[in-house]
Amino acid sequence: MAAVHTLLTGLAREHATGSLNVPPAGKAYLREGRIAHLECPRTPSVERLLTAHGRAGGYSRAELEFCVAGAVLDAAYFLLPAELPAARPKFRPGECPRPDTRLEFELAWLVGECARRRAQLAQIWSSAELDDVPVTPAARLPGHRATVSALEWEILLSSDRVATPAELADRLGQPAYSVLLAVRRLAAAGLLVAPLMPRRRGRALDRAVPPALPQSDPNVLAAVKRALEELE
Amino acid sequence: MAVRLYAASVLALDDCLLSVMDIPGVLDALVMDHLSGTVMASGGRGEAERSAPALGETLRVTMDALAGATHRGTVRIDDLIVIADDGYHLLHPVEMPFDGPLVIYVRLDLGRANLALARHQLSSITGRLRG
């Protein structure tokens, strides 16, 4: 079965401009053969990443661009290797992302970066068994002392033993890959356990629509959208 | 000296790298995301790019070790400086709105560079990133 990135590689070679919708994996936007934006329901959007931290506007150009690049890389990790559905996805020539930040990414760079990230994840903790189940902290430390990063601390603190890593990523406004990396590190350190009542196998993996999430402040969201439009 | 800009149009980070490359005595420079290890831009002889994952790990391990070594138990690093036989190695973390930190790495010539001046220039360059 072919992956999304093989289809995109063909479009990139033709210097295509437009959008490729691949439900439920996500949507890709190209501008003259380069990736203008990627969306994936498993990963928080740029707006979500920026509004989750409650700062109304006031982002510098570098911060906004770093944020957009982070969101595109995050979506790429899950969207590019996804299998193409049986029905050929629709390409809409000329369709631009909204808001259009005018940033562009080389597809080959994104594909290479995804491979590196996959290897990095496997190196930390080779098992994927905790990737899609509720994050469940261990009741006791498996030793006397442990060191955690800022993000690992946030994950442990916001775990309700129901939310999966992808759901915590959205709640915390952090890239899904970063949360997965932290979960693997916590698992390797013995700070997480397999939940007692795992969800039905595959359910979290296949879910295309994320569950209801805490709403972003509409004023903050509007300010962020304006800032992104002004990146041009 | 060669400058490679990966995401190709993440303009502000490209500008940042170009400013870093102007610091007197620079041999190599990198702009990377610490958590994922993604290199956003790099310049110099191209050796820094290959060592990016190890540089990120060096910063992480140092943070862990210092957190354990201080009486407070938590640590915030402004600059990690290693003086080696092949130059001064500087790792400078920059907080971002989410994820990150963004890390600027620079290797400086032992003979030509002024470490204090380089630190000062690096802080003012990264200060502009947030302003």
Side-chain angles (χ1 to χ4, degrees), chain B residues 94-127:
Chain B
V94 187
E95 297 294 337
M96 285 282 124
F98 75 93
D99 208 359
L102 193 68
V103 175
I104 318 283
Y105 164 75
V106 55
R107 183 167 69 96
L108 300 157
D109 188 283
L110 287 171
R112 288 191 297 127
N114 176 328
L115 192 54
L117 182 68
R119 274 196 72 202
H120 177 74
Q121 286 179 307
L122 206 53
S123 320
S124 81
I125 291 165
T126 54

Side-chain angles (χ1 to χ4, degrees), chain A residues 109-130:
Chain A
W109 178 72
L110 290 172
V111 170
E113 193 50 32
C114 291
R116 194 195 58 77
R117 288 182 171 206
R118 247 185 306 285
Q120 185 182 31
L121 214 53
Q123 199 191 359
I124 290 166
W125 181 248
S126 59
S127 164
E129 75 171 323
L130 298 183

Side-chain angles (χ1 to χ4, degrees), chain B residues 51-101:
Chain B
S51 47
L55 287 167
E57 195 61 11
T58 302
L59 183 61
R60 197 181 71 79
V61 168
T62 308
M63 281 176 176
D64 281 1
L66 283 179
T70 59
H71 67 281
R72 282 191 304 164
T74 53
V75 68
R76 175 178 296 276
I77 288 180
D78 287 334
D79 281 306
L80 172 64
I81 302 170
V82 177
I83 306 173
D85 58 358
D86 64 343
Y88 299 115
H89 298 253
L90 253 84
L91 285 156
H92 181 76
V94 187
E95 297 294 337
M96 285 282 124
F98 75 93
D99 208 359

Side-chain angles (χ1 to χ4, degrees), chain A residues 141-153:
Chain A
L141 281 187
H144 293 133
R145 190 179 170 84
T147 308
V148 291
S149 71
L151 178 57
E152 287 160 15
W153 172 253

